[in-house]
């Protein structure tokens, strides 16, 4: 079976993807510098799949160490490149950290690929590249809008770097996946999202408020041009997202790609408001989320949701999980985390 390098494989989306890759028999090598994740995630992956993936604590921005890693695990067939810094606010404060980490990591991989005869790379991009789309649901050919943060800009630049590199050398192929808002956790509750410090993203803040770690959730804005005034997003179960990566890798390995670079939206196609998320979370989990309406958060997009039909048709992939099930999994994971902290 093919060997897949997963950078950022102990992170949130990476760990769920490692599980899905191992489930269908891929051999996985994880590279992660643990800058935003914990080594214990490997225990969770092993509990679910019965297999502990090979792991290297390496910074992808370190060319020499990455070169040695490719040498050590000879015969890598494809890369899934998750490793990146992702906190939007932090990227505004420390732009160079973001440009260095996110750009250099990708450039190193693209430089090392021909040296080690690796043809295929899947790249984690984001719906952030669309900014506030003019037309909803947003399709892949919608214009890329000026980035709202250095983080968002790194995703745009990385996409361009991939296009330019592959244009110059068609021996490579790449699938760029633009994620909408991944939430939830593996149904086993062995792995899930582990935010560092106070969460910036909605769902971890909701679950931490529900468990009592945070007093109150602030709903950023109730005066948007949406039915209930709060922002709308396309929330997708992280396991659905992970499964799309397996399909993308298989598509490249089986030479089914139609272009050297293909780009797919990964979303459900359904937009939900912040208030709808709170209400549904409360209903399916039987818990109250204390919240208050607060001013808008700077840089927020009013509404965005995906047209996932290109991924549905071409990849034969759809986001299957209901939002109810997704929100249930997020809550079970938070409760499991709390239990673990108590036991420690
Ligand atoms: P995450 O922070 O949980 O995972 C990223 C992992 O990469 C972490 O384990 C971190 O330690 C590691 N990492 C960071 N820089 C590294 C480096 N230089 N070398 C080695 N490892 C490094 O984030 P995630 O939510 O799993 O996101 C994965 C990818 O998906 C990222 O590229 C992110 O930008 C992208 N993305 C995430 C979202 C989201 O909402 N979570 C949405 C769109 C796109
Ligand atoms: C969702 C909604 C908030 C927290 C971020 C990145 C983006 C992409 C996805 C990586 C918004 C509201 C949030 C809170 C709230 N990531 N909210 N109270 O804004 O879609 O995008 O993640 O590529 O680049 O910017 O996700 O989870 O932060 O917010 O009301 O305490 O929840 O205003 O409307 P967002 P999010």
């Amino acid at each position: 079976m093919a060997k897949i390098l997963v950078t950022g494989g102990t992170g949130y989306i990476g760990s769920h993807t490692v599980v899905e890759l191992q489930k269908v028999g891929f051999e996985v090598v994880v590279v992660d510098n643990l800058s935003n994740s914990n080594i214990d995630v490997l225990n969770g992956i092993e509990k679910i799949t019965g297999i502990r993936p090979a792991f290297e604590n390496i910074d992808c921005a370190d060319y020499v160490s990455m070169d040695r890693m490719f040498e050590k695990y000879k015969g890598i067939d494809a890369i899934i490149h998750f490793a990146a810094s992702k906190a939007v606010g932090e990227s505004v404060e420390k732009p160079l950290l973001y440009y260095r980490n996110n750009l250099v990591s990708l450039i190193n991989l693209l430089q090392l690929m021909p040296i080690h005869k690796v043809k295929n790379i899947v790249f984690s991009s984001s719906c952030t590249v669309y900014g506030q789309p003019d037309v909803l649901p947003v399709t892949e050919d919608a214009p890329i809008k000026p980035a709202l943060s250095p983080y968002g800009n790194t995703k745009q630049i990385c996409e361009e770097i991939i296009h330019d590199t592959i244009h110059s050398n068609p021996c490579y192929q790449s699938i760029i996946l633009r994620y909408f808002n991944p939430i939830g956790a593996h149904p086993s509750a062995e792995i899930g999202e582990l935010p560092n410090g106070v969460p910036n993203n909605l769902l971890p803040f909701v679950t931490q408020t529900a468990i009592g770690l945070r007093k109150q959730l602030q709903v950023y804005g109730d005066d948007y041009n949406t039915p209930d005034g709060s922002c709308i997003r396309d929330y997708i179960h992280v396991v659905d997202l992970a499964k799309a990566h397996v399909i993308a890798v298989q598509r490249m390995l089986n030479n089914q790609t139609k272009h050297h670079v293909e780009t797919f939206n990964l979303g459900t196609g359904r937009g939900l408001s912040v208030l709808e998320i709170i209400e549904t979370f409360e209903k399916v989990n039987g818990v109250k989320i204390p919240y208050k309406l607060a001013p808008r958060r700077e840089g927020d997009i009013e509404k965005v949701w995906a047209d996932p039909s290109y991924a549905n048709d071409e990849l034969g992939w759809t986001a299957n999980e209901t939002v109810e099930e997704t929100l249930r999994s997020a809550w079970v994971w938070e409760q499991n985390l709390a239990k673990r902290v108590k036991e420690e």
Side-chain angles (χ1 to χ4, degrees), residues 6-16 30-38 41 55-62 66 81-87 98 100-102 104-106 123-128 151 154-155 177-183 192-195 201 238 241 245:
V6 181
T7 74
T10 46
Y12 176 42
I13 308 169
S15 56
H16 289 82
V30 170
V31 164
D32 201 299
N33 66 357
L34 304 178
S35 56
N36 197 38
S37 57
N38 193 300
V41 169
F55 175 76
E56 296 291 331
N57 183 343
I58 296 176
D59 185 338
C60 295
D62 174 350
M66 288 300 282
H81 181 43
F82 292 106
S85 304
K86 65 161 182 178
Y98 274 68
R100 181 185 295 279
N101 198 38
N102 296 3
V104 176
S105 294
L106 174 69
F123 177 70
S124 297
S125 190
S126 165
C127 66
T128 191
Y151 165 74
T154 68
K155 291 297 169 194
L177 300 175
R178 292 180 179 154
Y179 314 151
F180 283 68
N181 289 55
I183 59 166
E193 192 168 9
L194 276 172
N201 296 113
V238 66
L241 195 69
H245 293 74

Side-chain angles (χ1 to χ4, degrees), residues 49-89:
T49 62
I51 304 161
R52 196 174 183 84
F55 175 76
E56 296 291 331
N57 183 343
I58 296 176
D59 185 338
C60 295
D62 174 350
Y63 182 91
V64 174
S65 300
M66 288 300 282
D67 189 23
R68 280 199 205 111
M69 184 282 307
F70 276 107
E71 206 47 59
K72 178 171 171 186
Y73 296 96
K74 261 192 193 337
I76 286 170
D77 298 284
I79 302 168
I80 307 181
H81 181 43
F82 292 106
S85 304
K86 65 161 182 178
V88 175

Side-chain angles (χ1 to χ4, degrees), residues 86 88 125-128 149 151-152 155 179-182 199-205 217-221 224 230-233 235 274 297 300-302 304:
K86 65 161 182 178
V88 175
S125 190
S126 165
C127 66
T128 191
S149 68
Y151 165 74
K155 291 297 169 194
Y179 314 151
F180 283 68
N181 289 55
N200 297 307
N201 296 113
L202 179 63
L203 246 292
F205 209 105
L217 170 75
Q218 300 194 64
V219 173
Y220 296 136
Y224 285 101
S230 64
C231 293
I232 297 179
R233 297 288 183 273
Y235 296 94
V274 176
R297 182 173 69 176
D300 261 344
I301 297 295
E302 182 170 86
V304 58

